Amino acid sequence: MAIETVGVVGAGQMGNGIAHVMALAGYEVFLNDVDQAAIDRALATIGKNLDRQVSREKITATERDEALARIKPTLRLADLGQADLVIEAATERESVKQAIFEDLLPHLKPETILTSNTSSISITRLASRTDRPEKFMGFHFMNPVPVMQLVELIRGIATDQATYAACLEVVNRLGKTAAPAEDFPAFIVNRILMPMINEAVYTLYEGVGSVKSIDESMKLGANHPMGPLELADFIGLDTCLAIMNVLHDGLADTKYRPCPLLTKYVEAGWLGRKTGRGFYDYRGDEPVPTR
C-alpha cells in the first residue's frame, strides 16, 4: 500500500523527531499527545531544528515552511485513524503501549500499518494484542532522529512481507538506512550498546575509574564521539535501566544484570540531561561529574 499519511503517538524527544523527518519527506503527519504542553514543546523544537537546517543550508526556507504546515497536532487519538501508518513513540513501558494500541484500534482503517518505536520490547507480544499482527512491526529510530541515519525494522513472528516492504519504502524516502532485525530482546543496537553502558556503570560502581576517566578513556582510547556515561545521560537513565531489565528478563543471563548504581540513580530521579542531573550535573554552565 502507498503510505502518504502518518500518525505519531507521543510528542516527546523521539516523537517530535519522527514527526520532523516525516513532514520534511512530504508525509502528512498527525502528532498526538495527551498533554497540550508536550505538543507545544514539540512544535517549538521542530521549528528550531528546521531553522537550524535552513541556516546550515541543508534545506530551504520554503521546505521548512511546507514541512511545518504538514504537521497537524491533536490531543485526540481517534484523529490518527485516518493515517496509513501509525508510529507509537510513547514511554518505554509495555502496559502504556498496549493501552495506546487498544484505544487506537477502533478508529483505524483495515489497511493501516501499526508500528512501535520501542527500543527493546517484544514486537510479537505487542502485535498479538492487536487485531492486525500481520500489519504490525517495530520501527525503531535512533536519537536524535533528524541526525541519525539508521532505522531498525523489526518483524514480529506474524509480520507479512507487504508490511515490511511498505515500511522499508518509508525509510528509503526519509533518506535513512534500514537495518532488518529479528524480534529478540533489544534487537541489534541496544543489545550491543546497553550492556556496554551498564559495564561502564559497574566500572564506576566498583571504583575502577571516575565518571571523567571512564568517559575520557572511551572517547580517546576507543574513538567514541561520546563517553558511555555521558551517552547514558543523553539517552535517559530510566530508559537504559528499562532496556537492561528487558535483556535480563528476556534472555535470563546474569551478564545483563543492571548495575545497582544505575538503579540507585533512577530511584533518586537523577535521569540525566532531561532532569538536570545524572552521572553529570547539568544545572551550571558546564556539566560536572556527580561521582
Side-chain angles (χ1 to χ4, degrees):
M1 62 174 289
I3 293 171
E4 294 301 335
T5 309
V6 177
V8 179
V9 184
Q13 191 175 44
M14 296 303 294
N16 78 62
I18 294 168
H20 172 147
V21 298
M22 289 289 178
L24 199 54
Y27 294 102
E28 296 295 322
V29 179
F30 290 93
L31 179 59
N32 166 263
D33 202 283
V34 293
D35 179 16
Q36 183 63 51
I39 290 176
D40 293 341
R41 285 193 300 271
L43 292 173
T45 299
I46 292 168
K48 182 177 69 177
N49 289 339
L50 286 167
D51 285 343
R52 186 181 294 119
Q53 287 179 299
V54 172
S55 69
R56 292 176 179 173
E57 299 184 346
K58 303 276 189 184
I59 62 172
T60 66
T62 300
E63 288 172 326
R64 173 199 60 200
D65 295 344
E66 289 175 347
L68 285 170
R70 291 188 193 104
I71 299 174
K72 311 290 190 297
T74 177
L75 293 169
R76 298 180 66 251
L77 200 58
D79 290 345
L80 275 61
Q82 53 199 301
D84 302 318
L85 167 69
V86 173
I87 303 172
E88 170 274 315
T91 188
E92 191 69 357
R93 288 209 304 273
E94 188 165 349
S95 59
V96 172
K97 295 178 185 298
Q98 287 178 346
I100 287 168
F101 290 127
E102 192 173 301
D103 290 346
L104 194 55
L105 287 176
H107 308 289
L108 297 179
K109 301 182 293 186
E111 65 272 21
T112 297
I113 292 173
L114 275 179
T115 67
S116 176
N117 183 57
T118 179
S119 52
S120 62
I121 296 168
S122 167
I123 297 303
T124 298
R125 196 163 61 239
L126 287 173
S128 72
R129 301 289 293 269
T130 74
D131 64 353
R132 60 196 69 206
E134 72 287 347
K135 291 187 178 299
F136 192 110
M137 67 181 301
F139 210 135
H140 181 215
F141 288 85
M142 306 295 126
N143 183 38
V145 180
V147 175
M148 302 296 277
Q149 292 302 301
L150 187 76
V151 180
E152 285 182 316
L153 289 181
I154 307 105
R155 286 187 250 212
I157 198 168
T159 308
D160 64 25
Q161 181 58 31
T163 298
Y164 175 80
C167 290
L168 179 60
E169 189 177 321
V170 172
V171 175
N172 291 338
R173 181 163 154 183
L174 295 177
K176 297 187 183 295
T177 298
E182 293 300 316
D183 184 25
F184 292 101
F187 320 129
I188 296 172
V189 172
N190 284 318
R191 172 75 176 265
I192 297 166
L193 176 64
M194 285 303 160
M196 185 198 75
I197 287 175
N198 194 53
E199 195 62 31
V201 183
Y202 266 114
T203 306
L204 178 66
Y205 175 62
E206 294 169 2
V208 180
S210 66
V211 168
K212 184 178 179 183
S213 65
I214 291 165
D215 277 352
E216 283 191 344
S217 293
M218 294 308 292
K219 284 193 282 190
L220 302 179
N223 205 27
H224 290 193
M226 196 182 288
L229 301 175
E230 184 185 1
L231 179 57
D233 276 357
F234 180 75
I235 293 167
L237 303 193
D238 52 339
T239 300
C240 294
L241 179 59
I243 296 170
M244 285 310 302
N245 281 325
V246 166
L247 281 165
H248 191 229
D249 295 344
L251 298 171
D253 191 322
T254 55
K255 74 179 180 180
Y256 298 115
R257 182 171 68 96
C259 180
L261 184 60
L262 177 59
T263 302
K264 195 61 63 182
Y265 268 74
V266 173
E267 288 174 346
W270 292 18
L271 308 181
R273 285 179 178 270
K274 61 187 174 185
T275 58
R277 274 188 294 189
F279 292 113
Y280 293 85
D281 189 327
Y282 299 93
R283 295 174 298 173
D285 293 336
E286 293 288 333
V288 178
T290 54
R291 290 182 85 82

